[in-house]
Amino acid sequence: MTTRLDGNVLAGALAHLFVPDATDLRARCTNCGRVAPIAEAVVYADAPGLVARCRSCDHVLAAIVDAGDKVYLSLSGLSAIALPK
C-alpha cells in the first residue's frame, strides 16, 4: 500500500535545500544537461526580477521576482540540484 502525506513532510528536506548560501550548490540545466555551481550562471538583473541563465546554452535556469508582499521563485530550468551531505 502506498503512503500518501501532505507537503509538510518536505519541511526538513526543503530547509536543507535553502541553505544560507545556495550559490555553491551544483545544479543541472534542463536544456543542455550542464552541471555547474549556481554561482556560475549568467544573471540578468534588469529583467522583471533576477533571471539566471545557463552559461553554456543560455537557457533560463531560475527567476526570482520581488512582487512587494511576496517573492516568487522559479527553478523550472533546473532538472536537479545536488546537495552536500
Side-chain angles (χ1 to χ4, degrees):
M1 178 173 201
T2 301
T3 302
R4 293 179 59 170
L5 305 169
D6 68 24
N8 288 310
V9 75
L10 299 172
L14 289 173
H16 184 71
L17 175 64
F18 293 104
V19 295
D21 185 3
T23 59
D24 287 340
L25 300 177
R26 297 178 64 81
R28 181 185 311 126
C29 173
T30 58
N31 189 54
C32 71
R34 180 177 190 252
V35 177
I38 292 173
E40 291 185 12
V42 178
V43 177
Y44 295 89
D46 55 350
L50 300 172
V51 176
R53 291 183 170 269
C54 177
R55 186 167 293 278
S56 177
C57 71
D58 204 38
H59 184 70
V60 174
L61 300 173
I64 302 171
V65 176
D66 185 339
D69 62 335
K70 294 179 179 146
V71 175
Y72 293 92
L73 169 65
S74 170
L75 302 174
S76 61
L78 299 174
S79 62
I81 298 174
L83 305 171
K85 282 188 159 183

